[in-house]
Amino acid sequence: MVEVASASQADIDWLVREDANLAQAWVSRCVALGEYFVAREAGEIVGFLRFSRFWGRVPYMEMIRIQPAYRRSGVGSALFVAWEEAMRGEGARLLMTSCECDESRPQDWHHRNGFTETGAIELRGLQSVPEVFFIKHLA
């Protein structure tokens, strides 16, 4: 059974290894601000969700990553539901996320979880393809 909770200081080394594009100082900052959720099975971390706040207020899911052996088993959905509930509990009325325009599986996942495409931007020099943005209105 998957258990989801906010990441703690004890999770930082694992997160630095698995969220490899970020420096340890940034991972530590995100953990301190409560911007990571981790999923555990049998006490072992099997995935994470990292978020921030667009314009300092709109919850923006930056990354969700599941260990290969646990993909398509509900871990990502459990992380997403926990995050959505936490954001709703904070009074959020809108969620945001994005992915590259050529990533069909993430786009399908966003659609299955209630997101709708809202636009795209080109980030020349950073990405070779446009970034597609998605929003989800919360009741």
Side-chain angles (χ1 to χ4, degrees), residues 33-94:
L33 291 173
E35 295 176 344
Y36 271 105
F37 283 88
V38 294
R40 288 184 170 79
E41 273 208 15
E44 298 294 320
I45 301 174
V46 296
F48 72 87
L49 182 151
R50 175 174 33 88
F51 72 99
S52 62
R53 289 176 174 81
F54 190 79
W55 291 336
R57 54 188 177 148
V58 178
Y60 176 76
M61 181 173 48
E62 295 181 351
M63 176 69 66
I64 186 167
R65 183 168 294 147
I66 312 305
Q67 293 295 305
Y70 294 89
R71 290 181 185 155
R72 304 188 82 60
S73 70
V75 173
S77 293
L79 279 163
F80 173 71
V81 167
W83 176 64
E84 181 178 18
E85 288 175 1
M87 297 303 98
R88 187 177 274 120
E90 290 180 12
R93 292 186 284 178
L94 179 73

Side-chain angles (χ1 to χ4, degrees), residues 114-126:
F115 286 91
T116 57
E117 189 174 325
T118 191
I121 59 172
E122 289 188 34
L123 300 165
R124 290 189 180 122
L126 294 176

